[in-house]
Structure formats: structure tokens, C-alpha cells
Amino acid sequence: MFSGLKGLIITLKTGLRKPVTVQYPKMHAPIQERFMGFPALTWDFEVSEPYCVGCMVCIRNCPTQCMTATMGDNPLYAEGKSPRRKIVESFEINLGRCILCNICVEVCNFDAIEMSYEHELSTFERNGRRVGLAALLEMGKKYQKESSWIPPIAKGKSASKATSDREQAI
Amino acid sequence: MKIVLQFAIVAMSIIAIFTALLFSGQTDIFLKALHASALFGFLSIVVLALIWYERKLLARIQMRIGPMRVGPFGILQTIADAIKLVTKEDIIPSETDKILYWLAPIVVFLPSFVVWTVVPFTPSLVIQEMELSLLFILASSTLSIVGLVMAGWSSANKYSVLGALRATAQLISYEIPIIITALTIAMLANSLNIIEIVLSQSSQPYLLLQPMGLLLFFIAALAELGRTPFDIYHAESELAGGPFLEYSGTHWSIFYLAEYFNTFLFATLVSLLFLGGWLGPWLPGIIWLFAKIFIVISIIFWIRGTYPRLRIDQLMEVGWKGLVPLSFTNFVLTAVFIYYKWPLWILGFLGLMSILVIMFAFKQQKSSQPPSIMLIPSSEVRHV
Amino acid sequence: MSNESTKNIESVDIMVNMGPQHPSTHGVFRMVLWVDGERVVELEPHIGYLHRGSEKISEGEIYPQVVTLFDRLDYLSNLNNEMAFCLAVEKLMEIEVPKRADYVRMILCELNRISSHMLFYGTMGLDAGAMTPIMYGFRERERIQKFFQSVTGARMMHNYIQIGGLREEPPKSFQGQLKEMLPQLSKAIEECDQLLTLNEVFLLRSKDIGIINGSDALELGLTGPCLRASGIVEDIRFTEPYSLYNEIDFNLPVGVTGDTWDRYAIRIAEMRESIKIIEQALELLPDIGETKAPGVRLIPRPPKGESYARVENPRGDLGVYIVSDGKDKPYRVKIRAPSFANLQALRKMSVGSYVADVVMILGSLDIVLGEVDR
């Protein structure tokens, strides 16, 4: 008898607590700093071109094979403004197939691709989330601004140390 | 378009009946019919508020907020749900018995509305004052069980039939404690008229004289309404979906409406019979009545949020082995006390003692063999 | 109606189909019951609705990609699955994981156990008919998932435990967040316990239902909390300790009767024990250390051979068997899923009981269809 009544008292106590609901989409639950959203390409502000050279390592190692790209000669290299010989010409990710596993970021040698904070994916078509190079660079620029991004490898540090540096910077 | 047509037909027929009554010269029947329609409107609004309140209360118990979008704090959510139900497609299986299928919701719904004509909100606010109002209420609410069987049988579905038979068994067995306890109260008040029962509580409410009776009536009412922990016949996670499996749209909403009318009815009965109805200092009677009904309904919803549900055979056991003997003992004891004119407060005391004795007996039986598991420390496990 | 007139009436058992879409089968699982009145006479489970060919796919994927596949096997205890696979590969390559990474792995696996058992608690309440335990359980899961998001980057499919250690260093707020979260979790476990465990109605629904004794359980291949409910003391964290479980002291809950209530209560007790493990591991956690064993490439190429590793999943004994032929993709990966073996005991437990009890028994076995069907 009494345990049932204890249960009633517990529900009474929780009934007087503040509810924990976050009323989406008016409010949003806070996104943690390491959140792995959809991948985005990063932009090198010093030289005004993407970091990505189109080497296809991420595409080869993607578990779901959701990316395609083409590589081309870099006109800025010919003018002597940029150290990259080749540059990415087109890049497409089918965000509906991406499983947000972070493997593309791990294998990239040029800090070109990062997991952004984007996670709201809704379209009216089945394959509607195929994003091209321009959209990816936009997402990347937004991510770089939001997280004060420091390119890990280009500065000569290893990836894990760069994360802890990023935290110290924030 | 079809819905607008149906609505128009219903509205015009109601207006036709009223004008016929008005012009036939039977003014008192006309007035009573008008009052009854007003009561129907009032009860519908109360049901809307009840559904909203239930969702909010359950949500708060579960640490979330209930409906918030439709209207400020979600007040209009029930109206939105009602509109959705009415505009839904009425899917009727092809092999049903059409007449029974259409009559079943009406047979379930009508008794739960008709009894409201004799329930007094204050001594003057009652549509039809009857000498035998308590008897009328208890007898009419039994009629809706027939509708349940009709609903289950007419849907061409073996699970509906099983569910309907189970529901009937549950409802019939729990009628007995309700009737016996209500009779005990009628014995104490020496009348079956609810107004006199409430007026005879002016010295003390029957809660103090019949605590056992209140408990039994309340638990049996929970089972009558089909509320947790006795809601197996319309529980979705169990196997048979119950008698209302094949009903959709407007048909189903009538069953739902009947259920909430019944909930409000039993809460009102508990307040009138045991808690003293409209009696109370300073404030007008109707506010006291609604406050008491509010408390009883909150307890009903609170229990819904806390307890799991009983299996059908355990339910029948609780009813026949627990509630029925206790209600009979209560009845006989009260009769003896009244006959020998012993002071009645001893009766209340005895009732309280018996509740405590039963609770402690449960606790004793449990603690003699408490359910537990063993915890083996790691040193012992690694040794082995 | 005398006995004479009912002797020659033929009665047929009703076949009830709890189809793949049903609110109380945990996932896409089909059960066909033959019912005589209210008693179950025969039960036939049909599985395979969630088969995704994980073992075959992993033959064409490099090792880091297979880790992401294992995440999605038993989708409630992702880190334990990753752990099983990584242990198998590390055994094959004879790598020793650095201590700090090992402690963090253990802490994350135990947290995942708590979150999986919280979901079990919620669905058990829902099967019994109570509608609040599931909300309380998911509230605690939210806490743990938010913590996981701050450590691994994802709420559910983490891809964090990699071959040789972890993917990246845990954040600086790791210990602080844990120290704040553990008392909240303990309090919540006590609350959940008081709400449901000794509730009279819940006891009526679960005591002496679905009893299976120890020898039958061992024969059927049950593992995990279902086996321990029948009185057998068997836990892989003790019999074949992996990671650093040898340095931690904690109790092992073992049941007495082998009924549904025991299986439920053991999981609640395991949650408390997991908190003890995490507290001890937090104290023993070295402050500095590497995240990955030195010399492990991003895409490893294990030498030719085969290995088998077992971990204690929240559901039982998860085993991974890897055959490698020296390339960067495994030759064969075989998964021994605990829910698959546990499901076979369903028939033995349910025949002879009521229909409403079958739902409770299935809930107490705590199967996850991702594991059963792979």
C-alpha cells in the first residue's frame, strides 16, 4: 500500500518542478562546442580561395560515398599568389546520405573540410539536400566565424592538440 | 460539403423540435428542454476544460509542458482536436451490422447525458427534482454497458468482441461496490434524494463517518470509468484494442465525450455524497461544489499519471475478492449502528481503523518476504 | 450447460498476430501467438525486418568505417559496440591502449550502460501501463546525451572509440561535468526506483511471470541481466576482464527467482553500480596521457590472423570475431549479438502465461532489433 502512495508523492514533487521542455523552434537547446553537424568546406581568408585542393581522400574514405568532386589547375598559383597547385573545381555532398561520422575530417591532409554546426535538414524533395561548392563554402565560412577556427595542420600542430587549443582560445 | 449538410440538418431539426414545443402550449416541457440544452452546452465546455486540464496536469507530472501552441497556453487545443475528429473520414468496415454500429455510440452516450438532468448543483439549480434521484443515476449509468456490447459485436472483428466482453465483465462487477456504498449513504441520510443527502451533511460530511465507503466508492468509480489502473479495455499497448477498435472520426468522439461526461458525473457524485456538496462557509454553494469536484478530478488524473495498469484477471480479483466483501461488511456494520442507535462517530473511527489495518496487513505480508535481489561484492566474484 | 453437451464441441485456438508495427514490441518484430482463451499455447517469433547486412558491408569497408557500422548495431549502447570491435582489432594487432584513454573508454561505456538502462526503465513502465516512467527515463538520457555531445560531438552515433584509443582528447571540462552530473543521476535513479519498483500494481504485473531457471537459461544461451536474474553469477567484466575493470570494486546484482521483476530490478541496481564504477575511475584517471597508442595509423592494416573479443553490453555478451588477411579491410566480421540469443528464451518463458504477460516478458528481455537482425 505504502509504496504506491510513495509513488504518488514523487509525482506530486515532480509536478511542482520546473518543466524541462525547450519549445522548439522558438527556443533551441544549446549546441555544444564539439557538435558534429554537416560537413562544410573551409575558406582560406589570407589567399581568398578554398583550402580544398580536390585530392579526393575524403571521398574515397566516406562510408556512404555521399561526395563527388573534381580537381582543376589553380589559376592563382600560376599568378604566384597561392601555394596550392591544384584547387577544387566542383564539390557536391548529398547531405541526406551523410552519417556525420567525422571520417572525412580525420583523413583530410589540408584542413579543408570541417563538421559545421548545421543540423536542420528538411526539404520537400527526396534528394533535395545535395549542396554544391558555393553553399558548402558559405557553411564553412559561417562555421569558421562561429567557432573562431584555427586550421590545425597548417600551423604544424596535431589535430587533438588543436582542439584543446581551440577551447583555450574560447 | 457533406459535413456542412449534416450540420445543417441537425441544427434545423433541433430548431423544429423547439418551435413545435413552444407552439404546442407545453411551456414547462419547453422550458425544461431549453434548460437541458443549456446544460448540454455547459457540460461540453466543462469537458473541453477537463481534457485541457488533464493534458496539462499529466504534462507537469512528467516534467514537461502540455499543449502550448493553439491559443494562449493551449486552451483551444481541444477544439482543434474536436474539429480534426469531426472532419476525419468515417471508415466503416464492410461486414459490420450497420444498425447496431450506428446505434452503439448513441446507446453509450445517452444515459451518460440523461442522468445529468437530476444532478443538483445547488438546491435550486436542478432541472428535474426527483425523489429517487440517486437510484435513477445509478440505474441509468448501467445502461451504457449495453452500448458497449453492441459496439464490440457489430464491428466485424474478433478482438473487438473479446474486448467488449472483457469490458462488460469489468463494468458489471464494479457496479456492485458502487451501488452498495451509495445505499449505505442513503441509509445514513434516510433518503434517496440527493438534495436531502447533501442537506443532512450540514453537521459533518459523510467523509468522516464513512472513510471506508469513500475509498471503496472512489476505487470502484475509477474502474467504472475505465481509468488507470483499470483501463485495460481501451489501452493501446495491450493486445486487443477494445470495443472501440473499428470506430473513427465522429463516432469515436461520441464515445470519448461519453467517457468524460461520466468522469465528471462520478466526481460530482463523490463530492455530493461524501464531501458535503455545496455546503461550506462564506462562499456561495456552487463555488464550493466546483472546488470539491476539482479536487476529486485532480486526484483521478494524478492516479492516472502514477500507476501502471492491472491485468484483466487481477482486476476481477481486486473487485470480487476485495471491494465486494468490504462494501457488504461496511453496509451491514452501518445498518447495525443505525438500528441500535449507537453514536455514529464510532463508525467513522472503525472505518479509519480498518483502512489502516488493511494497509498494515499488506505491509506485513510484503516485508516478511520482500522482493529483492542479491548484491554480490566483486571480491567474492573474482574469487570464484 | 452440462458437461455432456460441451464434450463434443470443437474449439480452435485463436491466432493473434502482434505484427511488425505494434506499440509494444520494441522495434520491428513480429510475434505470432496461438491463444486458447487467455492463455498462450504457442509463440512464434519472426525476425529479420531490420536486417541491413552489416557483416557483409564490413567486408568492403576499411577499419575506421566499420566502427561507424558497429555504432548502429545496438543503437542504444553505441560505445559498448565500438569497444567490442576495437578490442578485437587491438587483440589482433597486439596494441596496448594508454591508461588515460582506457579509463575514459571505461567511463563512457558505463555512462552508456546507464542511459540504455534508463530507456529500458521507461519502456518497461510503458508496457505495464504507467506513462510517467518513460518521461523520467528520457530526462536522464538527455542529461547523458548532452554530456556525450560535449565529449564526442554527437548525441548518439559517436564514432569516438577508435582502434588504439580515442579519436581525440576529451575536453577540459570532462571531469567537472562528470562530477556535477553524477549526483544528479544518483538522485534520479532513486526517484525512478521509488516510483515503480515496489509499486503494488507493478509487482502484480511482474512478480512470478516469465520464470526461467538457471540451467534452462544456460542451455538457451542467455547472457547478461537475464541470466543473472536466474541466479547464475556470470559477468564478462569479471570472468574475462577487459579494459581496466580489474582495478575497480563494485557489486554484482544477482536475482533469486528468475522472473520479470528480477530482470527489472537487476538493471536498476546495475545503474547504481555503474555510478560507483565511474566515481572510482574518475579518481584513478591520470591527468596526462596519450589518446592513442603510438604507432597506430589512421587506417590500420592488421596482420593475418583471427581474434575474438567479448564485452558486457547492457544486454549481455557481445562478441566480435574478426578474420584479417593483412589488408586494410577485414576479411570477415562475425557479430554474436546478445539480444538474438536472449530472444530465443521468449517462447519458453511465455508459453502458459497470459497474453498481457507476453508484453511484459518481451519488455523485460530488453531486446534491440538492430542487434537481433544486424
Side-chain angles (χ1 to χ4, degrees), chain C residues 96 101 118 137 177 194 252 341:
Chain C
E96 195 176 311
M118 268 296 173
Q177 272 187 309
Q194 278 188 358
L252 188 66

Side-chain angles (χ1 to χ4, degrees), chain C residues 6 45 61 66 96 100 109 116 126 131-132 152 174 177 199 205 289 297 319 321 324 327 344 350 370-372:
Chain C
T6 55
E61 303 215 321
V66 182
E96 195 176 311
R100 183 170 155 86
C109 283
S116 170
L126 208 58
M131 50 166 70
T132 39
T152 72
F174 185 72
Q177 272 187 309
N199 192 331
R205 282 307 290 271
R297 302 164 68 175
Y321 173 67
S324 152
K327 300 214 192 87
Q344 302 180 47
S350 330
E371 237 182 7
V372 171

Side-chain angles (χ1 to χ4, degrees), chain B residues 202-382:
Chain B
S202 39
S203 44
Q204 77 266 316
Y206 285 141
L207 161 73
L208 297 174
L209 292 182
Q210 288 274 308
M212 184 62 122
L214 172 63
L215 202 62
L216 292 172
F217 190 86
F218 189 72
I219 297 179
L222 277 181
E224 271 293 309
L225 296 169
R227 291 248 150 210
T228 323
F230 305 106
D231 63 348
I232 191 161
Y233 75 82
H234 54 73
E236 298 130 17
S237 73
E238 299 300 325
L239 202 48
F244 310 139
L245 195 56
E246 297 288 344
Y247 284 86
S248 62
T250 328
H251 292 258
W252 188 78
S253 61
I254 299 182
F255 285 122
Y256 204 50
L257 200 64
E259 184 189 322
Y260 274 92
F261 273 23
N262 263 331
T263 311
F264 197 50
L265 175 78
F266 275 102
T268 318
L269 273 183
V270 169
S271 330
L272 286 172
L273 295 178
F274 290 95
L275 296 180
W278 56 78
L279 299 169
W282 318 314
L283 298 167
I286 196 154
I287 296 189
W288 271 113
L289 182 64
F290 279 117
K292 289 172 191 169
I293 297 179
F294 179 74
I295 293 176
V296 173
I297 286 190
S298 305
I299 297 181
I300 294 181
F301 292 158
W302 186 21
I303 292 183
R304 178 179 184 195
T306 313
Y307 281 87
R309 67 173 67 100
L310 287 169
R311 218 170 52 201
I312 186 74
D313 64 315
Q314 291 162 347
L315 203 158
M316 303 299 275
E317 257 183 47
V318 164
W320 287 98
K321 290 188 192 170
L323 292 188
V324 167
L326 279 177
S327 60
F328 272 111
T329 331
N330 190 24
F331 183 69
V332 168
L333 210 60
T334 315
V336 162
F337 265 77
I338 293 180
Y339 184 69
Y340 285 116
K341 295 202 185 17
W342 291 340
L344 288 171
W345 60 269
I346 299 184
L347 192 63
F349 192 62
L350 271 178
L352 207 60
M353 281 295 112
S354 47
I355 294 180
L356 290 172
V357 159
I358 292 178
M359 283 189 172
F360 273 104
F362 259 104
K363 192 170 187 291
Q364 266 315 87
Q365 184 199 47
K366 200 112 51 74
S367 55
S368 58
Q369 343 136 353
S372 68
I373 48 174
M374 307 186 288
L375 283 173
I376 303 185
S378 49
S379 45
E380 249 182 65
V381 185
R382 288 197 182 119

Side-chain angles (χ1 to χ4, degrees), chain C residues 121-186:
Chain C
Y121 166 76
T123 50
M124 192 72 167
L126 208 58
D127 283 339
M131 50 166 70
T132 39
I134 192 167
M135 298 296 172
Y136 294 179
F138 270 82
R139 170 79 192 97
E140 304 317 311
R141 257 177 80 85
E142 276 298 312
R143 240 193 271 272
I144 297 178
Q145 279 179 336
K146 190 167 138 199
F147 173 72
F148 278 151
Q149 196 189 57
S150 69
V151 171
T152 72
R155 285 156 57 103
M156 263 185 100
M157 307 300 176
H158 312 284
N159 191 14
Y160 189 65
I161 295 182
Q162 309 251 306
I163 298 165
L166 306 167
R167 184 181 77 209
E168 54 183 348
E169 176 75 19
K172 284 200 179 352
S173 56
F174 185 72
Q175 295 197 333
Q177 272 187 309
L178 267 180
K179 287 203 170 82
E180 203 188 299
M181 195 169 68
L182 287 178
Q184 290 172 339
L185 279 178
S186 298

